[in-house]
Amino acid sequence: MAEFFQLILHIDQSLGVWVVEYGAWIYLILAGIIFGETGLVVLPFLPGDSLLFIAGAFGASGLLDPVLLGGILIVAAVLGNTVNYHVGHYIGPKVFARDYRFLDRKALIRTHTFYEQHGGKTIVLSRFLPLFRTFAPFVAGVAGMRWWVFQFYNVLGAVLWIAGLITLGYFFGNVPVIKDHLNTIVLVGVAAAAVPAALGVLWKLLRTRHL
């Protein structure tokens, strides 16, 4: 367990050790991390973006096969979102089946309508936003987003996210300036992605309250 948290806290250093120590098993280990972050709402803190970028850099170094890695991780990401969707779909109707005072049935209907109109973009874009990518498929399931629509954007988002970050890591992960300041770059990237999204959600909530 201590090694696992070391991977999360010092991923730029620890992943290299894991690649050497576990050999071919590292593909399944990384797939498990991606699946956990996208499929289990209790694990939104796992290092998805930075993990993919650094894994791409190791692909350029020849320690990992970037094509094989990309294929395995795309499958893991698709399965993760699928499990998350099913959990939300299973829980949602049960939660709203009764008239609880603290739950708004109309809110569920509005959410369902939103996902029917904009859910595809939400599923794709959330792939690139930490925390959001963990909860977006769950909310899609709760909202009753149509299965085939969800799966189309689920696969599209997974391909863009996995292939995009592995490719960036492959070509730029070993550039000295980026390699020496990788942790800072990852933190800035996360903040740049998450802060505007959070402000957008806050703005919508404030507007809703005043309507």
Side-chain angles (χ1 to χ4, degrees), residues 109-127 136-137 139-140 143-146 149-150 152-154 156 204:
I109 297 173
R110 287 198 299 269
T111 307
H112 173 82
T113 303
F114 174 83
Y115 262 88
E116 285 295 312
Q117 296 175 351
H118 308 290
K121 292 183 290 185
T122 303
I123 297 300
V124 173
L125 293 176
S126 68
R127 285 290 191 182
V139 175
M145 185 179 183
R146 285 176 292 177
V149 174
F150 171 79
F152 174 80
Y153 290 105
N154 178 24
L156 177 62
K204 287 184 178 180

Side-chain angles (χ1 to χ4, degrees), residues 11-13 50 53-54 57 172-173 176-188:
I11 191 170
D12 57 329
Q13 303 169 19
S50 53
F53 185 85
I54 296 167
F172 300 106
V177 174
I178 295 177
K179 192 172 183 178
D180 293 340
H181 300 88
L182 186 57
N183 283 337
T184 301
I185 292 171
V186 168
L187 290 175
V188 171

Side-chain angles (χ1 to χ4, degrees), residues 36-56:
E37 189 197 14
T38 57
L40 305 175
V41 292
V42 296
L43 297 176
F45 55 84
L46 293 179
D49 295 331
S50 53
L51 183 68
L52 294 173
F53 185 85
I54 296 167

Side-chain angles (χ1 to χ4, degrees), residues 38 73-83 127 150-151 154-155 158:
T38 57
L73 296 190
I74 286 171
V75 172
V78 170
L79 291 177
N81 262 21
T82 300
V83 169
R127 285 290 191 182
F150 171 79
Q151 281 298 356
N154 178 24
V155 173

